[in-house]
């Protein structure tokens, strides 16, 4: 039974629900592994040398990137074959990635705030590695991480679309299509950096929309 | 809901420098079962892909229910193209794909989909990626039939099925069409099996339209004439001979074109036997290079 909601809203809802399930597993595994590493370092070194949880950020960027890339190749043909428009697909995918980016950003900020409390309670320094500074204000941390994770997801969407459309030739476009998460991986929380990440991510969303609107739908893979 | 009318005008589809469909035009009335026939690489799939908004044409246009279908929400929701390997969520069980299509298609009949899954004996507990080619074809048939789209197209989906499954599909298609008339296009090489379903045929050859006729007209325009070679040659003078074979003094020719009653009477009077020709035989003869 079809609902009265716009196609893009239904698509966004479906994609978000599917992503949230895998995201719950991602965070469960990361937090358990991070806690285990922290305990081992406490046992072996007396205290962890830096914030272990802050290293999850790399996964927070590239895991949604991978998921978004796979979603394009696995579902765009089903979406159009089911009689739905490319427009609803790409708008739904962008909205879903925004929601996932925010959920990831909130989760990352919460994990870091809790970790900071534990570190300070134990008398440890909640320091970051030089490659991974942590914003101390939770509001700045939230914005920084939301933008960072959004860059990964939307870049995955664009990379998926370029490979779907141009095949191996899309490799030539990688320096542009993966630019936002590459910048984000620098993990510099300066306002200018966040603004650049946000701008390139917005450009990624616009490029995805333009690319998807006329994309030819390939034949499904033949099986023997 | 009745079926959609289809109007194709000067359609051209290119893949790089290769022209797959070259300036093809034809019309299909709503509520009919049409055969889209052509040899391998003739442009059938490319034509269907444009009708289903899978790709845009390089030139020309298609109108479905009077409007351009590409990215049109209403029309796309009413157009279904089932391709051989199926556009399904292959790593999931069939319930996931059925749910996807149910939410997308306003005409979807979930109860009928369940019946069809049982009728084809599909396993609900295994992911589609573990299905055989025949089972995937059958699942494509389920999606196409249960969708009840006003324009439903099957592109060679039944090739992977075994004979009992194919005949089950033909019977189910015909029964459901009788209850829910719509426009259906069947593309297949197994013409002899499905020609009984057709109300019209469109033949594409080498990317160009060869003919578009109602199936009865198509059949009556073809005939075999068998008899002594001299008499057969005499009565077929001026007719379009698309196939010919001789066995000693006896000759059989297949002719295609406007065969008027007087010509047929003259042939009979000359001792030439006249027989009908099946759609498949006519298709084979018309698409053989030497007949063009």
């Amino acid at each position: 039974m079809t609902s009265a909601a716009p196609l893009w809203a239904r698509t966004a809802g479906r994609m978000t629900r599917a992503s949230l399930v895998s995201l719950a597993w991602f965070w469960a595994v990361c937090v358990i592994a991070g806690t285990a590493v922290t305990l081992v370092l406490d046992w072996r070194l007396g205290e962890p040398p830096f914030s272990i949880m802050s290293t999850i950020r790399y996964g927070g960027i590239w895991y949604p990137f991978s998921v978004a890339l796979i979603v394009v190749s696995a579902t765009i043909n089903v979406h159009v074959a089911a009689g739905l428009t490319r427009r609803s697909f790409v708008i739904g995918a962008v909205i879903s990635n925004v929601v996932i980016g925010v959920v990831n950003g909130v989760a990352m900020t919460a994990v870091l705030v809790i970790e900071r409390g534990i570190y300070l309670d134990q008398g440890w320094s909640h320091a970051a590695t030089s490659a991974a500074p942590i914003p101390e204000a939770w509001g700045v941390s939230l914005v920084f991480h939301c933008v960072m994770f959004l860059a990964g997801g939307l870049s995955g969407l664009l990379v998926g679309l370029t490979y779907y459309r141009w095949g191996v030739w899309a490799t030539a476009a990688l320096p542009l299509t993966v630019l936002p998460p590459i910048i984000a991986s620098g993990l510099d929380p300066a306002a200018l950096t966040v603004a650049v990440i946000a701008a390139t991510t917005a450009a990624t969303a616009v490029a995805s929309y333009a690319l998807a609107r006329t994309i030819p739908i390939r034949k499904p893979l033949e099986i023997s | 809901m009745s079926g959609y009318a289809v109007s194709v005008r000067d359609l051209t589809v290119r893949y790089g420098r290769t022209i797959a469909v070259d300036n093809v035009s034809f019309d299909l009335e709503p509520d009919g079962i049409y055969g889209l026939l052509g040899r391998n690489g003739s442009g059938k799939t490319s034509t269907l892909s444009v009708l289903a908004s899978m790709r845009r044409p390089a030139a020309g246009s298609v109108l479905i229910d009077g409007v351009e279908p590409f990215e049109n929400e209403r029309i796309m929701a009413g157009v279904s193209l089932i391709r051989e390997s199926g556009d399904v969520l292959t790593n999931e069980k069939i319930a996931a794909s059925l749910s996807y299509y149910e939410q997308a298609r306003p005409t979807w009949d979930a109860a009928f989909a369940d019946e069809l899954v049982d009728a084809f004996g599909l396993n609900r507990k295994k992911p589609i990626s573990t299905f055989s080619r025949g089972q995937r074809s059958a699942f494509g048939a389920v999606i196409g039939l249960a969708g009840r789209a006003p324009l439903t197209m099957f592109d060679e989906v039944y090739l992977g099925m075994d004979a009992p499954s194919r005949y089950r599909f033909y019977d189910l298609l015909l029964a459901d069409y009788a209850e829910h008339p719509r426009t259906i296009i069947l593309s297949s090489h197994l013409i002899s099996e499905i020609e009984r379903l057709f109300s019209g045929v469109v033949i594409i050859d080498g990317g160009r339209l060869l003919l578009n006729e109602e199936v009865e007209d198509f059949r009556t325009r073809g005939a075999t004439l068998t008899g002594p070679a001299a008499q057969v040659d005499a009565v077929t003078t001026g007719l379009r001979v698309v196939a010919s074979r001789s066995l000693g003094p006896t000759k059989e020719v297949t002719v295609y074109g406007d065969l008027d009653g007087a010509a047929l009477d003259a042939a009979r009077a000359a001792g030439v036997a006249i027989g009908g020709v099946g759609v498949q035989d006519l298709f084979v003869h018309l698409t053989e290079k030497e007949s063009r």
Side-chain angles (χ1 to χ4, degrees), chain A residues 195-206:
Chain A
V196 170
I197 298 170
T200 53
T201 301
T204 299
V206 171

Side-chain angles (χ1 to χ4, degrees), chain A residues 1-3 7-8 10-11 14-15 17 74-75 77-89 164 212-224, chain B residues 45 52-56 70-73 76-81 83-89 96-97 99-106 108 131-133 136 155:
Chain A
M1 181 73 70
T2 55
S3 79
L7 290 183
W8 57 264
R10 280 188 268 155
T11 305
R14 173 183 282 277
M15 287 180 175
R17 282 192 296 277
T75 64
N77 65 315
V78 182
H79 188 87
V80 176
L84 303 172
T85 61
R86 293 159 180 79
R87 178 177 177 274
S88 65
F89 179 86
Y164 189 88
R213 286 304 304 276
T214 57
I215 203 164
I217 302 303
R218 290 182 178 180
K219 225 177 163 180
L221 290 174
E222 298 291 337
I223 56 169
S224 56
Chain B
T45 297
S53 301
M54 295 283 182
R55 62 169 50 251
R56 297 177 93 172
F70 195 85
E71 290 294 275
N72 180 308
E73 281 190 15
M76 283 183 69
V79 177
S80 170
L81 170 60
R83 305 191 283 186
E84 190 199 346
S85 298
D87 293 285
V88 292
L89 303 168
S97 292
S99 168
Y100 205 111
Y101 278 84
E102 181 178 5
Q103 290 182 35
R105 293 239 176 256
W108 183 265
F131 283 13
S132 68
R133 183 183 180 190
R136 286 186 67 158
D155 186 15

Side-chain angles (χ1 to χ4, degrees), chain B residues 187-291:
Chain B
S187 159
S188 177
H189 293 101
L190 303 173
I191 300 166
S192 60
E193 285 188 6
I194 57 174
E195 63 174 88
R196 67 189 169 95
L197 306 175
F198 297 157
S199 57
V201 289
V202 175
I203 298 181
I204 297 178
D205 194 36
R208 292 174 176 271
L209 182 75
L210 201 58
L211 63 87
N212 171 25
E213 290 191 4
E214 290 191 10
V215 76
E216 282 313 310
D217 293 344
F218 181 56
R219 282 200 188 101
T220 56
R221 283 161 65 87
T224 57
L225 292 88
T226 310
Q231 278 87 337
V232 170
D233 287 341
V235 299
T236 55
T237 302
L239 297 178
R240 183 183 175 192
V241 176
V242 292
S244 173
R245 62 181 176 178
S246 297
L247 184 63
T250 303
K251 188 172 186 182
E252 180 187 270
V253 299
T254 303
V255 294
Y256 181 79
D258 293 321
L259 305 172
D260 58 56
L264 295 176
D265 290 342
R268 285 193 193 93
V272 174
I274 300 167
V277 192
V279 171
Q280 173 153 301
D281 288 337
L282 269 179
F283 165 75
V284 170
H285 295 323
L286 288 171
T287 56
E288 278 175 345
K289 284 185 178 166
E290 55 266 34
S291 73

